Each structure stands twice: as structure tokens, then as C-alpha cells.
Amino acid sequence: MVRRTGRRPGNPDTREAILAAARAAFAEKGFDGASIRGIATGAGVDPALVHHYFGAKDKLFLAAMNSPMDPLDVIAEAAAGDRSEVGERFVRVFLEIWDGPRGAAGVALLRSVVGTEWTTKLFREFILTQILRRAVPKLGLDEAEGQLRVTLAASQMVGMAMARYVIKVEPLASAPSEVVVAAIGPTVQRYLTDPMPGVFPQR
């Protein structure tokens, strides 16, 4: 038999090879610097196969991160409705995901973040490109304030997720979701929309 050489064919290992190459590329070059063609080369496959498995680059990035959700879906749902209730909607949607079947993937993601330098880089890219870049315009935030506002809100949510789902600190870990929404929603609301003297200039 003649051993075949060249690009990797479509087989059960192909998807994992693409994901491994994607994680390496995103960690080294960032989301914007990494390309589908470069990732395909790293995985030894044709770029068309990357699109076949994952579609666009942002979907590949979410798969490489093992994200339990597409942040755009959460942002869109939080943005739909009264602006004065965006904080509560954001927390409620977040909890629905983490308390559901996809929560295990979220826990695994947070645990991996503190594991190595490259996983930390990946998570930072995730926040910058999948959350900040999308949330500021979608929520109608001022360009001069938006990134810091969203970063503060994200820090609240990541901290809550670590305490509730990873470290499982009581009584937060077993508190009903509506209690958590009532407790944290106003803080997220303040970060996203309310005046913050000493942080942003008064208008």
C-alpha cells in the first residue's frame, strides 16, 4: 500500500486538529491576526474544510474557546427592551445559560483560563473581540465610555460565575436565579448606563 501524503482528509480527527491549530493561532496572533487559511495550514487541511466544520472565523473562535454561548445572542437579548432594565436582562440571560445544560462548558472554560498563559490570552481575546466589540454599538453606548463600561460589567459577571459555578461559594452557589438577578442586575445596570462621577466626566 502507498502511504498518502498531503492535506489531512475529512476524518474524526480533523475537527480536533483544526481546533488545536485555531487555539494556537488565536493565542499567538489574536483574533484579528489569525486567518482561516493560516489555521488550515497549521491543521494540514484545506481552508474549505475549516469552513465546512465551523463556518465563519468568529464561529471557529467560539468553538476553540468551548464557549457555552455566542455572546452576540446574549447581548442582543439584553439590548432588546427598556434601557433601564438592561442590567437585569443581561444577568437573567447569563444565568439561564449557566444554570442549564451548557453551564458545564462554561465552568470548564473558566477553569481553563487560569491554567496557562495562552489560555489567558485566548480569554482576553474572547472578551475584547466577542464581547466588547459587539456590545458597545449593540447597547448604544457612548464610544468614549463604552469599552470601560462593558469591561466593568463583564468583570462583575465573570466574578459571579467563578464564585457561583466554579468555587461554589455559599450561599451564592445555591441562591435562586431571581435573587441573583435582583442583587447583581442593578450593579451591571450602573456599569452600563448610569452616571459614574469620578470615572466619566459629568455632562
Side-chain angles (χ1 to χ4, degrees):
M1 295 181 65
V2 178
R3 183 179 177 85
R4 295 183 63 182
T5 60
R7 294 192 180 276
R8 188 189 304 270
N11 60 53
D13 295 329
T14 302
R15 190 175 188 277
E16 286 305 314
I18 294 170
L19 286 174
R23 292 184 186 109
F26 287 133
E28 178 184 354
K29 300 178 180 179
F31 178 81
D32 293 331
S35 67
I36 291 291
R37 182 172 296 278
I39 290 168
T41 299
V45 301
D46 191 277
L49 202 54
V50 179
H51 288 291
H52 169 74
Y53 277 105
F54 300 101
K57 186 169 73 167
D58 59 337
K59 299 299 183 184
L60 172 59
F61 184 58
L62 293 177
M65 288 294 301
N66 195 29
S67 174
M69 78 292 188
D70 185 337
L72 186 58
D73 295 336
V74 178
I75 294 166
E77 191 163 347
D82 194 322
R83 183 178 173 84
S84 66
E85 298 175 352
V86 64
E88 288 192 3
R89 285 197 303 274
F90 192 93
V91 177
R92 185 174 288 109
V93 174
F94 187 90
L95 290 175
E96 287 174 356
I97 293 170
W98 283 73
D99 287 337
R102 292 176 286 174
V107 171
L109 172 60
L110 285 183
R111 284 178 173 159
S112 72
V113 167
V114 296
T116 64
E117 183 179 352
W118 74 268
T119 55
T120 302
K121 288 181 178 179
L122 277 177
F123 193 66
R124 183 166 57 244
E125 282 293 307
F126 177 77
I127 291 175
L128 291 174
T129 65
Q130 305 302 304
I131 298 177
L132 284 181
R133 184 179 292 176
R134 295 167 162 192
V136 172
K138 194 71 177 178
L139 296 174
L141 302 178
D142 183 273
E143 284 290 336
E145 302 178 359
Q147 291 204 356
L148 180 55
R149 286 185 177 277
V150 174
T151 303
L152 289 169
S155 72
Q156 183 73 36
M157 301 309 298
V158 171
M160 184 274 291
M162 286 290 293
R164 180 174 169 89
Y165 301 105
V166 179
I167 306 173
K168 297 185 178 181
V169 178
E170 294 292 359
L172 177 59
S174 57
S177 60
E178 284 305 312
V179 171
V180 180
V181 170
I184 297 178
T187 301
V188 175
Q189 182 76 41
R190 172 176 174 267
Y191 284 151
L192 291 176
T193 66
D194 293 355
M196 298 177 68
V199 180
F200 302 117
Q202 293 295 295
R203 298 181 181 179

